[in-house]
Amino acid sequence: MKKELHFEINEFRVRQAAVKKEMARRGIDILLLSEPPNQNYLTGYNAYSYYTPQMVIVALDREEPIWIGRFMDRVSATMTTFLAEENIRAYPDTYVQSTVLSAYDFMADIVKEVGGDKARIGVEMGGYYYSARAHAVLTRALPLAEFVDADLLVGWIRLVKSPAEVGIMREAGQLADVAMQRVIDTVEAGIRECDIAAAIYHQQVSGTAEFGGDYPCCPPDLCIGERSIAPHAAWTDEPLPDSTVVNLELSGCRHRYQVNLARTIVVGKPSPAFQDLSEIAVEALNVGLDAVLPGRTCSEVDSAFRQALARHGMEKESRIGYPTGIGFPPASGERTASIRKGDETVLQPGMVFHMMPGLWLDNVGITITQSFAVTDRGFEPLTKTPRKLFVK
């Protein structure tokens, strides 16, 4: 059976060693990973199966993690992970959406098998895929174990990407660029909003002549007309009027690594005030990017951006950036550092952020952004779409 690994096995070993080192520091014997990005990071596992319970177990005294999932997804685990077959476990279909059986009881038996009866067990309490019921079943099935919150243990390790990961994210950036260009070419008065969305999805997946893309973590934010002041609006089937603003955030996704990109497109002639706003937004964005240097903190980068904005008598309430990397629904952003006031995370080469300083005012919104990797000298843009207002 052909393997679909996108990294050398040694890279997975390095990741696993880093996770185990942090587990040991926290006194965690066994780590239960419910978040698909973390499962992918440590094993390579990739399948659209996370709507049913699945888990990766990392034990300090075991050489390899153990993947546990639905029986029909075992073949995907064999194809997409480096794990030995004895470390790929599957529960019968009788556990799927059962009102009687719980897959977490099945998982608890495997935790016992690896010595977890009385262990200190870390779980992802803040994860999207670790439910209250999952926790209740596991704690009932393992009454002598000590459960501790290990949310973001792997996330903070994932924050610094390897050169191989950054290489894949460069390709994801190219996918974002071609999708954005498709929209710029497509947008015109009279075209339906839903047809713009369809063009985005087509280009995201068909990609470039050299490589295709994956499904994104979340739908594009297509915020048009009055909805341009809403950061996360959905599209309609209405045609574009002769004069309107299109705020669009989309992404390129390659081997589950996601790079985000947002631009504002004006149909018709923008007002002088809106043109001025776009220039202010770009100026502040560029100042923020120029502040990116290893050794500086996220808060210092945020401060540089806000000082540039303040020179024009403007301010922004929300954060201006977040890290991206491996992404699965429902969100592309990693839940660790933020480029915002008070975040003292120190920038290191290999970190990847989406600087998203969108401005949503009372009656107007504009979104011009930049994804970048931190380098030893500053930042490397991961997308090449010009940082400017586009006018059609």
Side-chain angles (χ1 to χ4, degrees):
M1 184 178 294
K2 181 181 177 181
K3 287 284 187 179
E4 297 177 5
L5 291 175
H6 303 299
F7 300 96
E8 298 292 333
I9 291 178
N10 186 61
E11 174 137 350
F12 290 107
R13 301 294 189 201
V14 170
R15 298 173 184 180
Q16 185 178 338
V19 169
K20 286 186 174 183
K21 181 179 179 180
E22 181 61 18
M23 289 171 60
R25 189 187 73 81
R26 299 190 190 189
I28 295 172
D29 305 304
I30 294 173
L31 180 63
L32 304 184
L33 297 174
S34 53
E35 291 294 278
N38 293 336
Q39 297 171 1
N40 176 278
Y41 182 72
L42 284 182
T43 71
Y45 181 74
N46 182 18
Y48 191 85
S49 58
Y50 39 84
Y51 61 92
T52 59
Q54 61 187 38
M55 193 77 73
V56 165
I57 300 176
V58 181
L60 279 180
D61 59 358
R62 289 183 65 90
E63 182 179 356
E64 286 188 359
I66 298 174
W67 175 92
I68 309 170
R70 189 181 185 184
F71 85 100
M72 65 173 58
D73 296 310
R74 181 181 187 121
V75 64
S76 290
T78 298
M79 294 174 68
T80 64
T81 77
F82 69 93
L83 301 176
E85 279 300 310
E86 61 265 25
N87 292 323
I88 297 174
R89 310 292 185 89
Y91 54 82
D93 206 59
T94 51
Y95 284 89
V96 176
Q97 296 177 358
S98 170
T99 58
V100 179
L101 300 174
S102 172
Y104 294 100
D105 279 315
F106 183 95
M107 295 173 183
D109 287 339
I110 298 176
V111 174
K112 295 175 185 176
E113 179 187 322
V114 299
D117 303 67
K118 300 179 181 180
R120 183 175 167 88
I121 300 174
V123 292
E124 297 178 300
M125 295 291 287
Y128 297 119
Y129 292 87
Y130 190 70
S131 67
R133 179 168 293 174
H135 190 69
V137 172
L138 287 169
T139 53
R140 184 190 66 228
L142 298 161
L144 300 181
E146 179 187 0
F147 283 80
V148 297
D149 185 9
D151 191 37
L152 300 182
L153 184 154
V154 177
W156 282 106
I157 293 169
R158 284 173 44 207
L159 181 59
V160 179
K161 276 69 179 174
S162 70
E165 289 180 288
V166 174
I168 290 177
M169 296 194 77
R170 291 189 186 104
E171 294 181 346
Q174 292 179 54
L175 294 170
D177 277 330
V178 296
M180 184 61 73
Q181 188 60 54
R182 175 77 175 270
V183 175
I184 293 168
D185 294 341
T186 300
V187 164
E188 61 182 19
I191 190 170
R192 297 185 304 170
E193 295 181 15
C194 55
D195 291 326
I196 299 172
I200 295 169
Y201 275 108
H202 178 269
Q203 197 64 58
Q204 283 175 317
V205 177
S206 63
T208 72
E210 292 76 28
F211 51 83
D214 300 337
Y215 65 89
C217 303
C218 46
D221 297 316
L222 195 52
C223 312
I224 298 173
E226 292 184 349
R227 285 177 287 112
S228 66
I229 62 173
H232 304 116
W235 59 83
T236 74
D237 58 3
E238 291 297 312
L240 298 190
D242 292 338
S243 178
T244 194
V245 172
V246 177
N247 283 336
L248 168 64
E249 181 177 351
L250 51 73
S251 59
C253 190
R254 175 74 168 157
H255 302 319
R256 298 306 331 145
Y257 283 80
Q258 184 152 316
V259 168
N260 290 24
L261 172 64
R263 288 292 181 272
T264 295
I265 306 166
V266 173
V267 177
K269 185 177 181 180
S271 68
F274 194 81
Q275 184 68 51
D276 289 345
L277 178 63
S278 72
E279 292 171 5
I280 292 170
V282 171
E283 176 190 330
L285 170 61
N286 288 337
V287 169
L289 290 169
D290 288 340
V292 172
L293 286 170
R296 286 185 174 168
T297 66
C298 288
S299 185
E300 289 174 315
V301 174
D302 177 84
S303 178
F305 167 84
R306 292 183 190 281
Q307 289 176 34
L309 207 59
R311 288 195 286 269
H312 299 279
M314 300 181 67
E315 60 182 25
K316 175 178 167 63
E317 179 181 354
S318 59
R319 65 180 181 174
I320 65 165
Y322 51 85
T324 64
I326 301 170
F328 285 80
S332 60
E334 296 176 349
R335 298 181 294 116
T336 49
S338 289
I339 303 178
R340 60 158 51 116
K341 182 179 179 180
D343 191 318
E344 299 304 318
T345 302
V346 177
L347 298 181
Q348 300 177 48
M351 291 182 176
V352 173
F353 288 89
H354 181 214
M355 190 175 284
M356 209 304 177
L359 298 175
W360 296 280
L361 309 179
D362 290 341
N363 58 358
V364 68
I366 191 164
T367 55
I368 301 173
T369 74
Q370 182 65 60
S371 286
F372 65 89
V374 180
T375 71
D376 57 357
R377 296 184 179 182
F379 76 98
E380 174 192 346
L382 294 178
T383 59
K384 296 182 179 180
T385 302
R387 295 191 288 272
K388 69 174 189 177
L389 177 69
F390 285 86
V391 179
K392 292 297 295 285

